[in-house]
């Protein structure tokens, strides 16, 4: 009887803590760079992300090979020459909303947030501090952000001839539509 | 002008123009049309996910960058902000599916959850799910 009670107690904790977690497996990530010749844009619709609204913790993971380019050759160069996706298949982010008290997850609206954490690309980890928004509406929780990174910070080498033609930093966009984590 | 100079000039310009055209063609080349591509592997969503779950390294070596023809039952359809569509296929696992990204919505708007689909796509690897990209639906007409 005591054991059953304990079991129910733990079950309750699991359910309660899961109710605070939201996730997506269809997250959108893109990077964009303008060049005089053409715009370079890669899009990934398969990013996985978890948001814990009680602690403000955010985790993202994505496969480099899931980035899709309009042109086949561009995608090949991205994977083989720059990201070396066979060697470093994943990119990830682990961080926290620093101004969590400003967000009321039970009230519809748009909230400005700052997220701080570790961004790992090309097996190099850098601390980043980015601004974004949390949008709460009928469909759930959405998180959006746009920020810039410098490829060289992640030891991504772009040859001089090409380097001079593209901006020093690339624009990264993040769009997540979270759903409550299913409790099973 | 001597005839051989004319011929030489013509040959040189012909080579140069072909080289430029070839470079432009390569540069603008689109992705393989999966509805017409020949699959490297034909597999069910359940078997594919199981292989990755049991031995990710071996399955990665076998499937990544390869064209897979996968059959499975649709568990969810997600419209992205962009002109992409994600379809999840049911597997033997509750938490891990096969997620397939289609570059254009097109005639896929007719699909519903619970339906069976056969599709072709390029395998990107395994995150929490097996991920396929550049997918196209396979109809009876273009089935292998």
């Amino acid at each position: 009887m005591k054991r059953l009670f304990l079991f129910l107690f733990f079950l309750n904790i699991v359910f309660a803590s899961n109710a605070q977690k939201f996730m997506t497996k269809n997250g959108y990530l893109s990077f964009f760079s303008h060049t005089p010749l053409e715009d370079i844009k890669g899009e990934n619709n398969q990013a996985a992300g978890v948001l814990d609204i009680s602690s403000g913790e955010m985790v993202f993971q994505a496969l480099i090979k899931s980035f899709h380019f309009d042109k086949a050759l561009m995608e090949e160069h991205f994977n083989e020459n720059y990201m070396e996706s066979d060697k470093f298949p994943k990119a990830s982010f682990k961080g926290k909303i620093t101004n969590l008290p400003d967000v009321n997850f039970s009230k519809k609206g748009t909230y400005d947030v700052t997220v701080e954490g570790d961004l790992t690309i090309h097996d190099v980890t850098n601390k980043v501090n980015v601004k974004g928004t949390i949008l709460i509406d009928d469909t759930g929780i959405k998180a959006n952000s746009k920020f810039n990174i410098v490829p060289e910070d992640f030891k991504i080498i772009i040859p001089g001839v090409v380097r001079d033609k593209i901006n020093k930093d690339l624009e990264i966009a993040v769009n997540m539509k979270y759903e409550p984590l299913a409790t099973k | 002008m001597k005839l051989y100079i004319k011929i030489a000039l013509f040959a040189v310009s012909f080579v140069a123009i072909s080289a430029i055209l070839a470079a432009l063609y390569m540069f603008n080349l689109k992705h393989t049309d999966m509805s017409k591509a020949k699959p490297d592997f034909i597999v069910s969503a359940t078997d594919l996910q199981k292989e990755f779950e049991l031995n990710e390294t071996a399955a990665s070596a076998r499937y990544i960058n390869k064209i897979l023809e996968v059959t499975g039952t649709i568990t969810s359809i997600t419209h992205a902000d962009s002109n992409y569509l994600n379809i999840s296929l049911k597997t033997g696992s509750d938490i891990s599916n096969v997620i397939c990204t289609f570059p254009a919505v097109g005639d896929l708007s007719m699909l519903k959850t619970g339906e069976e689909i056969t599709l072709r796509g390029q395998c990107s690897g395994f995150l929490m799910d097996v991920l396929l990209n550049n997918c196209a639906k396979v109809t009876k007409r273009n089935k292998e």
Side-chain angles (χ1 to χ4, degrees), chain A residues 25-26 38 45-46 69, chain B residues 27 31 86 95 101 129 132:
Chain A
K25 289 172 171 184
N26 302 298
E38 62 184 335
N45 286 279
Q46 301 175 329
F69 292 73
Chain B
F27 184 75
H31 293 271
N86 276 8
I95 49 164
T101 299
D129 311 78
L132 298 184

Side-chain angles (χ1 to χ4, degrees), chain A residues 23-28 37-38 43 45-50 61-63 65-75 86 90 144 175 177 179 184, chain B residues 26-31 56 64-65 78-82 84 86 94-97 99-101 103 122-129 131-134:
Chain A
M23 80 163 300
T24 177
K25 289 172 171 184
N26 302 298
Y28 174 86
L37 198 59
E38 62 184 335
E43 295 178 296
N45 286 279
Q46 301 175 329
V50 176
Q61 247 194 353
L63 290 181
K65 282 191 198 291
S66 291
F67 277 95
H68 189 74
F69 292 73
D70 207 26
K71 289 174 180 158
L73 195 66
M74 217 184 246
E75 194 167 307
D86 285 324
K90 284 172 194 173
N144 299 313
N175 293 323
K177 284 181 197 162
E179 286 164 19
K184 274 185 180 142
Chain B
M26 288 291 289
F27 184 75
N28 287 306
L29 203 61
K30 298 281 180 188
H31 293 271
E56 193 186 331
I64 288 180
N65 284 343
T78 313
H79 289 265
D81 291 335
S82 48
Y84 289 89
N86 276 8
D94 280 343
I95 49 164
S96 173
N97 300 317
I99 299 180
C100 315
T101 299
Q122 197 169 16
C123 184
S124 306
F126 188 69
L127 203 53
M128 296 161 77
D129 311 78
L131 303 181
L132 298 184
N133 268 287
N134 196 21

Side-chain angles (χ1 to χ4, degrees), chain A:
Chain A
M1 186 62 200
K2 201 176 171 185
R3 198 170 279 180
L4 179 73
F5 184 74
L6 214 65
F7 173 72
L8 287 175
F9 178 71
F10 277 114
L11 202 68
N12 186 37
I13 289 182
V14 170
F15 271 82
S17 59
N18 270 354
Q20 304 293 314
K21 282 188 179 149
F22 291 79
M23 80 163 300
T24 177
K25 289 172 171 184
N26 302 298
Y28 174 86
L29 298 175
S30 75
F31 82 86
F32 176 81
S33 179
H34 175 75
T35 76
L37 198 59
E38 62 184 335
D39 289 336
I40 300 168
K41 192 179 187 189
E43 295 178 296
N44 184 335
N45 286 279
Q46 301 175 329
V50 176
L51 165 69
D52 186 330
I53 61 168
S54 60
S55 65
E57 276 174 67
M58 279 183 141
V59 182
F60 299 111
Q61 247 194 353
L63 290 181
I64 301 303
K65 282 191 198 291
S66 291
F67 277 95
H68 189 74
F69 292 73
D70 207 26
K71 289 174 180 158
L73 195 66
M74 217 184 246
E75 194 167 307
E76 193 182 311
H77 285 172
F78 172 76
N79 277 294
E80 288 173 10
N81 304 357
Y82 304 129
M83 302 299 286
E84 301 174 85
S85 61
D86 285 324
K87 256 187 345 202
F88 313 118
K90 284 172 194 173
S92 63
F93 174 80
K94 198 171 187 297
K96 234 176 167 172
I97 299 173
T98 55
N99 58 330
L100 193 65
D102 296 347
V103 187
N104 182 353
F105 284 98
S106 51
K107 200 178 155 210
K108 281 182 207 169
T110 307
Y111 304 91
D112 289 327
V113 290
T114 305
V115 178
E116 203 176 68
D118 296 321
L119 179 63
T120 307
I121 304 173
H122 197 238
D123 213 26
V124 179
T125 302
N126 281 309
K127 282 246 175 291
V128 292
N129 189 319
V130 304
K131 293 207 181 313
T133 55
I134 296 270
L135 180 81
I136 293 156
D137 63 15
D138 289 328
T139 60
I141 301 177
K142 292 180 187 132
N144 299 313
S145 180
K146 250 184 198 171
F147 58 95
N148 292 330
I149 60 163
V150 180
E152 282 76 9
D153 289 349
F154 295 91
K155 297 208 175 82
I156 297 165
I157 314 298
I158 303 171
V161 205
V162 183
R163 193 68 191 106
D164 302 338
K165 291 196 182 70
I166 64 175
N167 290 341
K168 199 174 163 327
D169 43 11
L170 302 174
E171 187 187 85
I172 309 283
V174 183
N175 293 323
M176 300 283 156
K177 284 181 197 162
Y178 293 104
E179 286 164 19
L181 192 65
T183 47
K184 274 185 180 142

